[in-house]
Amino acid sequence: MLTGESLAVLSGVLAHRLVFIHGEWHLLVATLVVSHLALLGGLYALRAVWAEYVPDQALPHPVTLVCLYLSSLFSSIAVYRVFFHQLRHFPGPRLAAVSKLWHVWRCRSSRGHHVLEDWHHKYGTFVRTGPAEITIFHPAVYEAMDGPGNQNTRSDWYDLLQPRISSIFTRDRALHIQRRAIWTHALSSSAIREYHPRILAKVRTLTELIGAQKSHPILINEAMYWFAFDSMGDFAFSEDFGMMKNKKWHRVIFTFRSALALLGPFSPAIWIPRLAFAFIPGLWWARWWFRMLSFCDKCMERRMKRVLPDKDIASFFIQDHKASVNENKALWLSGDTATLVVAGSDTNAPTLTHLFYFFARYPDHLEKVYQELASLSSLEDTVGLAKLPHLNGMINETMRLLPAVLTFGTRVTPPEGLTIEGTFIPGGTKLCAPRYTIGRLESAYAKPHEFIPERWYSQPELIRDRRAFAPFGVGNTSCVGKNLALTQIRLVAAALVSRYHINFAPGSNGEQVERDMKDQLTAQPGACRLVFVERE
Ligand code: HEM
């Protein structure tokens, strides 16, 4: 006869085989927890009623039954994933095949880029880094994921902001095209020309900030973050956050950093933050997350109350919001605003920090850029700056070795699967392509660990496979802010390199930059103290 205990075990296996094996569950994780708690409550009630009517035959304790059910559910999942899953033949850590929790645990210090690098060295080019995930360390991967004609979709990660939606935070292809069109207008070449005076004003303020240090060491991470955030405030919302002027962090930045820090360990399993958002929205980092979103919303609310003579990025979204009759338009605006604040600042800041770290590390390259700048009639000539080979070689080399987006960006293969360089990846598999490791592949670059800006112009033989270089992504999901970002980076480099010699602060050799770098959606480099000495 079937006992209560054996029924619980059977239910666990059936729940896996009939229910959980199908589809995605990350958006329902809170509902699942609640329904399982309700089940426990129901079993207690049943036991009480049973005890009244059948007092001589007690039912098993509800906690025992739920534990048996859960153990059999998770055992069934683990056995299936290790021995029967369609990805079982791919090499990788055994525990990662069982659950993404292993990846989360390994990323607990936000060193996701090192975790994946280690797994690449241990397991090769195609590594199973999750139950249904393959991480690919091959130059061809970006084209395969996002290149022309691809049928992949964005992964569950992109549901992070749900119910808010934005160009990046949507997995619906049609909606993505629609939302991306607004970004493309807001960041077109002609729009950037309009923002040019604002960008230049912020570059001047940064130059003054650094000049005021008068050869005293400056924490360049801080200066570049202030610059990036102040600049974003200006071209996004026509608002001055005043960090460079006040030489002080805006208090909201701590909220931002605390909120985004959760993505270091939890990006591999997005259901964990979703669970926290549902159950403890006012506690721990979930609280920072909602405060961050609320700050972004307030920036947009303030901006919507103003009428301005010049266009800023927000004006494109406000125009769309006013014209739209869609019932979700408030959520779209909120999602795009959060994207604008984070993508518009948290990517430029690390890129600039890394670039100046390399300037200090390689004085010969710094001097080459200085010589190049002398050929320009104006240091504010963005077209001229875009053509300087050594400056742009340095920027490329910086983004190759220390990309602002170290590991982020996952896709899911279409039902028919995908073949990458002769390896078939079954349908429904999540793909990951970590830029940090791919930028250092021997198959893509000669002397991959050396900093050689010339490989981007006079020594092209040092690039073996150009497809490996995608700091801004490729195809129709690539970065819409690329031109704006590069314009800012070049202008800052020109303004500071033309005026200063740049060295590490006494007693420092910059080793913390890479040693202490964290992977928290964007790269968070370790402290880099520099001295800027005015040129003769
Ligand atoms: C050095 C600076 C930057 C880097 C390295 C960078 C990198 C990237 C990458 C790799 C992606 C693709 C992400 C994915 O695969 O899902 C992306 C997308 C995006 N970036 Fe950037 N970004 C930078 C600056 C900016 C700026 C300044 C803005 C806006 C002001 C911006 C706005 C966006 C948006 C909206 C998307 C989503 C595009 C889409 O949904 O189709 N980025 N960026």
Side-chain angles (χ1 to χ4, degrees), residues 154 158 167-168 176 180 183 187 235 313 339-340 343-344 347-348 351 404-405 408-409 411 435 471-473 476-481 484-485 489:
R154 283 170 164 167
Y158 292 83
S167 175
I168 197 163
H176 170 245
R180 186 177 165 96
W183 282 92
L187 294 164
F235 58 63
I313 299 182
T339 304
L340 179 55
T347 45
N348 272 348
T351 307
V405 180
F408 160 73
R411 306 286 182 263
R435 286 179 182 79
F472 294 98
N476 55 8
T477 52
S478 66
C479 180
V480 279
L484 177 62
I489 292 165

Side-chain angles (χ1 to χ4, degrees), residues 154-160 168-171 408-411:
R154 283 170 164 167
S155 73
D156 55 351
W157 189 94
Y158 292 83
D159 281 332
L160 180 68
I168 197 163
F169 287 106
T170 178
R171 303 170 71 192
F408 160 73
T410 39
R411 306 286 182 263

Side-chain angles (χ1 to χ4, degrees), residues 272-289:
I272 299 177
R274 298 281 323 173
L275 201 59
F277 298 159
F279 286 115
I280 48 165
L283 288 180
W284 200 25
W285 38 249
R287 177 172 51 138
W288 303 120
W289 186 261

